[in-house]
Amino acid sequence: MTDSSSQNNNDSTNGSHGKRPAQSSGSSGASFPKIVKFNGNIQRTPGRDLDATKRPAPAHYSREDLLAQKQALPIYAVRQRLLEELRKHQTLIIIGETGSGKTTQIPQLIFTHGMTENGTIAVTQPRRVAAITLATRVAQEMGAQLGTTVGYTVRFEDVSNFKTKVKFLTDGMLLREAMLDPLLKRYSVIILDEAHERTIHTDVLFSVVKTAQKKRAEQGNNRLKIVIMSATMDVDHFSLYFNKASVVYLEGRQFPIQVFHAKQIQEDYLFSSLVTLFQIHKDAPADHHILIFLTGQEEIEAFAKSARTIAKDLQGKYANLKVCPLFANLPQNQQMEAFSSPPPNTRKVVLSTNIAETSVTIDGIRYVIDCGRVKARTHMPATGMDVLRIQKIAQAQAWQRAGRAGRQAAGFCYRAYTLNEFEKMAPNAIPEIQRCSLTTVVLQLLALGVQDPLHFDFMDKPPTELIEGAMKELHLLGGIQSIDKPVLTEIGQQMAAFPLDPRFTKLILASKDLGCTEEIVSIVALLSADSIMVNASAQREQANNVRAKFASSEGDHMTLLNIFRAFRTAKQNRNWCFENFVNYRNLLYAVEVRKQLAELCERTNIPMKSCNPQTEPIRRCLLAGLFLSVAEYQREGHYLTLGSRQTVTIHPSSVLFHTKPSCIVFTELIQTGKRYVRQVTLIDRDWIEELPKETLLQLRQTFRGTVNGPNRS
DNA sequence: GAGCACTGC
């Protein structure tokens, strides 16, 4: 550990040995962050973690084992000095690689030295599974039963009680708590971990904890200690934001990784990655597995096909090759393939999206091939549309990817881009808060008591248009009094209470008058979950045929509801899901969301009325809540949106893709190759005129001239 | 007749 400002001690691990594929050359001079092998037994299960039976069982260690493991962590030797720093400063920034032991050891250090007399230690994580596994591990090390002294809180699961002193929670969960108590009075220490990931929640929390600390200090009792933990080397930014807070560096052990860059610019990064794969395959021992970072499902499936074909031609000449795709939308049983050990004399090649960058860890990876690209979502405030496109990664991401080769032993990373290209990459990825729709964030800020979101103390301020766009949408939804005076209305307060996109809360509120809350709450829950349709390209046709019995001629929302009802009738049976090509995990998730929403409805006096067997109220409700998302048929399959007057197409996954009704309401607008609307429902155009007067007035004001007389061509 | 990266409440 060294004190701040003297830090530039990255090991350059670009060694001189190692074989080079023909089109790659050894990199020179680029620094490499420290990679530390985690010395515990923490494993992360992929995907949303709802199925408790699938969670890795906590390993059982003896007291001696646990102590030995603790002592082997790099942090152990410096714990006394670290403690001094923690005592000395009210705000401390700790830089250390993931797995250096900081996340498990620092909360214990704080706890055992009495810094929790006036409250609990909160440790935030960007992901649920991490919060759960870390709490399990720390409880074990402290000899406590999980849920007592050590616990965790994530959505749908609160394993903590009033005695809990070390609490792991998702950053989103702490933000929720802050909306009820902006001073976060029950905590004496708040640790924001993985701060370098800059999730939208952590970014808001930066300011929330800073404000809470200041106010509590002014009140003079129960002061708040803040610890920011990050893996980034760009510490000045953090330190400056937290009033020049002290920075502590934690060194770790690492396995060296040799990095190679392409010799010249690769026109086709897929082809280049494929060539590299087989050059490695020719020489490396069979149990040295390979991880290839690609951008998306389609790309991965095409790459897998090519790789398997080539491997078949080479059969018998080298080791066997087992190709495993890995992306979040892949059904869990297929995801597990990427984590299992392959048979003898077989090399595993995992083709992954950036899910393998942070969310999951795969054993035995010695080689990484990095295509240098990522698919990222950007919000366009002018059109209200999200654009999904492939872009170059940042340097920090490139190092993160490379690090995946050195988790258990020395490794290699082959980059499908030149050193020059690498040097031209942005040092860090653009934080989420600067590129996503901020409607929910602005709503949360207002609920937290922030007066002027435009001048909120962001660590990195989002573009003004994004904040203004959010205010505009909130105003249209009736959530704030006016754009100039952003004060929450009663509707706005309800929107803040619901863990939903405000547009979806609006739907629930609209359902009250139409007597279809029972149905709308299910639909909103389904829209909140990942896709419930299983869509492997290989069996797409079969899947569509089997699911045809659920399809509604009225659109996707009714179709979703039909599947959900059938799932519940089938007693939420897993096999039923398998037979019907629907995703069990995501349906279970929707059931949980529905439960939560139903409770909130009860609390806010929205009766769970059903309109069954009628469906018209549901479609009228969708229109009432989503009146900004209406489109009219033009010609050649194109639609024109009522509000922003953009040409859009119904997404091929929609049940209305063939039908092309004259007027539709949709829940998602996204640009990939084309501009698509997804989740589409057929409506009667006359219903627009029958909307409540205030809504119509608002519509006319917003889109003058487009509501009464759209040009039909 | 064509395709959405990843999280979270």
Side-chain angles (χ1 to χ4, degrees):
Chain A
M1 186 177 75
T2 54
D3 288 333
S4 62
S5 77
S6 63
Q7 200 271 345
N8 197 6
N9 57 352
N10 300 338
D11 282 2
S12 181
T13 57
N14 308 298
S16 53
H17 59 86
K19 290 171 182 145
R20 296 173 189 178
Q23 89 282 23
S24 295
S25 69
S27 73
S28 58
S31 61
F32 196 80
K34 295 191 178 302
I35 306 295
V36 180
K37 184 188 178 190
F38 200 95
N39 209 14
N41 193 35
I42 287 182
Q43 264 188 332
R44 294 171 183 174
T45 42
R48 282 193 166 135
D49 178 59
L50 278 170
D51 189 357
T53 59
K54 285 275 169 183
R55 252 178 233 158
H60 291 285
Y61 295 109
S62 69
R63 209 165 255 280
E64 293 74 30
D65 283 346
L66 285 168
L67 187 64
Q69 285 174 9
K70 261 171 105 152
Q71 289 172 346
L73 289 170
I75 198 172
Y76 189 79
V78 297
R79 66 194 186 287
Q80 282 308 329
R81 286 184 54 201
L82 187 55
L83 192 60
E84 282 165 34
E85 295 293 322
L86 283 163
R87 284 209 170 111
K88 210 157 59 184
H89 306 289
Q90 273 310 99
T91 303
L92 189 64
I93 294 163
I94 299 178
I95 306 298
E97 285 304 314
T98 313
S100 67
K102 65 184 192 308
T103 311
T104 54
Q105 301 311 305
I106 288 173
Q108 294 184 60
L109 204 58
I110 294 172
F111 173 76
T112 50
H113 291 83
M115 280 185 251
T116 54
E117 275 161 23
N118 296 315
T120 300
I121 308 171
V123 189
T124 68
Q125 292 295 318
R127 285 166 290 278
R128 296 167 49 95
V129 181
I132 297 168
T133 46
L134 285 163
T136 308
R137 173 72 191 189
V138 170
Q140 225 172 31
E141 290 190 10
M142 287 171 59
Q145 199 198 329
L146 193 61
T148 57
T149 311
V150 183
Y152 66 86
T153 307
V154 297
R155 189 181 189 180
F156 311 134
E157 244 185 301
D158 182 8
V159 186
S160 71
N161 63 22
F162 64 98
K163 285 190 209 152
T164 300
K165 286 293 179 185
V166 180
K167 188 161 99 171
F168 287 85
L169 68 180
T170 46
D171 49 8
M173 205 70 218
L174 188 63
L175 192 53
R176 278 271 146 206
E177 289 188 11
M179 287 165 69
L180 300 173
D181 174 20
L183 295 187
L184 294 159
K185 288 191 285 288
R186 58 179 299 191
Y187 301 107
S188 58
V189 183
I190 292 177
I191 302 176
L192 302 182
D193 197 10
E194 312 284 6
H196 60 280
E197 287 192 29
R198 302 293 304 273
T199 71
I200 212 158
H201 294 143
T202 298
D203 260 36
V204 175
L205 281 172
F206 285 148
S207 172
V208 168
V209 296
K210 199 170 137 183
T211 309
Q213 183 185 58
K214 189 162 165 259
K215 287 198 176 153
R216 279 164 58 168
E218 282 163 10
Q219 289 173 2
N221 59 350
N222 191 13
R223 293 180 64 189
L224 174 65
K225 197 178 277 291
I226 300 171
V227 180
I228 307 295
M229 301 210 285
S230 167
T232 188
M233 295 295 153
D234 177 32
V235 296
D236 295 348
H237 198 48
F238 284 107
S239 175
L240 217 58
Y241 179 78
F242 286 100
N243 306 315
K244 301 193 178 151
S246 295
V247 181
V248 163
Y249 297 93
L250 290 178
E251 290 181 6
R253 292 155 301 165
Q254 71 172 73
F255 294 98
I257 292 166
Q258 273 189 275
V259 178
F260 302 100
H261 291 92
K263 235 182 219 158
Q264 62 266 324
I265 291 176
Q266 301 296 307
E267 290 301 326
D268 183 348
Y269 63 83
L270 291 173
F271 178 73
S272 149
S273 303
L274 197 62
V275 172
T276 309
L277 161 62
F278 283 97
Q279 273 162 342
I280 296 167
H281 183 51
K282 235 167 50 181
D283 298 324
D287 60 346
H288 289 194
H289 305 315
I290 305 172
L291 172 62
I292 308 184
F293 283 101
L294 300 169
T295 66
Q297 175 174 352
E298 213 187 356
E299 199 173 281
I300 286 171
E301 283 173 348
F303 194 103
K305 204 175 159 199
S306 308
R308 285 180 185 132
T309 308
I310 299 171
K312 213 172 165 193
D313 290 347
L314 294 175
Q315 210 161 30
K317 277 179 89 175
Y318 310 108
N320 298 319
L321 203 63
K322 186 185 174 200
V323 181
C324 308
L326 181 65
F327 43 89
N329 250 333
L330 195 70
Q332 189 137 32
N333 59 328
Q334 287 171 59
Q335 282 195 5
M336 290 323 289
E337 288 291 299
F339 297 90
S340 63
S341 299
N345 191 36
T346 303
R347 184 191 320 286
K348 186 166 73 176
V349 182
V350 179
L351 312 177
S352 175
T353 61
N354 49 347
I355 190 174
E357 223 173 82
T358 49
S359 302
V360 297
T361 297
I362 304 156
D363 282 346
I365 298 295
R366 299 289 285 274
Y367 290 86
V368 162
I369 301 174
D370 174 14
C371 80
R373 271 98 174 154
V374 67
K375 199 176 277 185
R377 182 188 282 252
T378 312
H379 182 71
M380 300 289 167
T383 54
M385 186 154 50
D386 280 353
V387 179
L388 209 54
R389 62 180 164 218
I390 294 170
Q391 59 192 45
K392 293 240 169 101
I393 58 170
Q395 289 179 354
Q397 272 176 295
W399 289 124
Q400 178 70 26
R401 289 178 175 190
R404 293 289 161 169
R407 304 278 299 185
Q408 283 135 349
F412 304 86
C413 174
Y414 292 89
R415 292 175 170 166
Y417 43 93
T418 64
L419 180 60
N420 187 273
E421 283 178 283
F422 171 78
E423 282 164 351
K424 279 195 217 146
M425 287 173 179
N428 292 293
I430 298 170
E432 212 181 348
I433 203 156
Q434 293 188 321
R435 55 183 170 84
C436 291
S437 165
L438 296 183
T439 314
T440 304
V441 168
V442 169
L443 183 71
Q444 285 168 340
L445 291 180
L446 294 170
L448 280 160
V450 172
Q451 309 274 329
D452 179 8
L454 272 171
H455 297 98
F456 180 70
D457 178 27
F458 290 106
M459 181 179 285
D460 289 295
K461 194 176 184 297
T464 306
E465 306 82 70
L466 273 183
I467 304 173
E468 283 174 348
M471 304 244 268
K472 203 174 146 194
E473 191 180 354
L474 282 177
H475 181 55
L476 280 168
L477 293 168
I480 54 175
Q481 283 176 13
S482 74
I483 293 173
D484 302 327
K485 193 179 153 213
V487 177
L488 289 184
T489 60
E490 207 183 316
I491 292 176
Q493 276 162 7
Q494 275 178 301
M495 283 175 175
F498 277 80
L500 290 173
D501 181 324
R503 295 179 310 135
F504 293 163
T505 310
K506 176 90 180 180
L507 274 181
I508 293 178
L509 298 177
S511 74
K512 197 175 168 181
D513 292 337
L514 289 152
C516 56
T517 307
E518 160 75 33
E519 285 81 9
I520 286 293
V521 164
S522 296
I523 290 171
V524 166
L526 288 158
L527 293 173
S528 303
D530 288 339
S531 172
I532 59 166
M533 313 287 186
V534 171
N535 269 329
S537 56
Q539 34 184 322
R540 188 162 294 149
E541 204 170 325
Q542 196 193 349
N544 283 336
N545 289 339
V546 173
R547 286 194 304 242
K549 58 178 176 283
F550 304 118
S552 160
S553 57
E554 295 179 331
D556 299 305
H557 300 101
M558 291 307 304
T559 304
L560 284 176
L561 187 60
N562 288 342
I563 294 175
F564 193 61
R565 282 173 170 160
F567 175 62
R568 302 226 282 188
T569 306
K571 302 236 158 58
Q572 310 188 359
N573 180 287
R574 188 175 220 146
N575 271 334
W576 181 88
C577 292
F578 183 76
E579 287 158 12
N580 287 287
F581 292 90
V582 293
N583 191 308
Y584 174 68
R585 202 174 16 143
N586 295 345
L587 274 163
L588 268 193
Y589 184 83
V591 170
E592 291 291 328
V593 175
R594 194 189 187 287
K595 217 190 290 168
Q596 194 184 21
L597 296 179
E599 278 167 21
L600 277 160
C601 282
E602 198 178 340
R603 239 182 283 164
T604 41
N605 293 321
I606 303 173
M608 290 299 272
K609 268 203 225 147
S610 168
C611 64
N612 207 21
Q614 282 181 278
T615 59
E616 193 179 307
I618 300 172
R619 293 188 293 134
R620 278 183 185 266
C621 179
L622 287 166
L623 171 65
L626 302 165
F627 57 83
L628 295 174
S629 308
V630 173
E632 284 191 292
Y633 188 68
Q634 303 295 304
R635 61 185 131 78
E636 290 159 6
H638 296 307
Y639 282 79
L640 195 64
T641 60
L642 207 61
S644 48
R645 302 203 76 71
Q646 296 177 84
T647 304
V648 296
T649 310
I650 296 182
H651 194 274
S653 63
S654 168
V655 292
L656 295 183
F657 181 68
H658 298 284
T659 330
K660 302 198 176 14
S662 68
C663 198
I664 55 170
V665 59
F666 56 87
T667 22
E668 201 181 355
L669 177 62
I670 194 162
Q671 180 169 344
T672 50
K674 264 173 164 176
R675 285 193 290 255
Y676 287 105
V677 286
R678 294 185 77 234
Q679 318 295 5
V680 178
T681 279
L682 151 71
I683 55 161
D684 189 333
R685 201 179 182 287
D686 296 337
W687 294 350
I688 298 177
E689 296 303 323
E690 293 163 27
L691 284 169
K693 278 202 189 75
E694 316 84 71
T695 312
L696 270 181
L697 193 68
Q698 217 174 14
L699 255 178
R700 293 214 176 88
Q701 280 170 352
T702 317
F703 308 117
R704 219 166 312 169
T706 63
V707 175
N708 278 326
N711 307 317
R712 291 182 184 262
S713 26

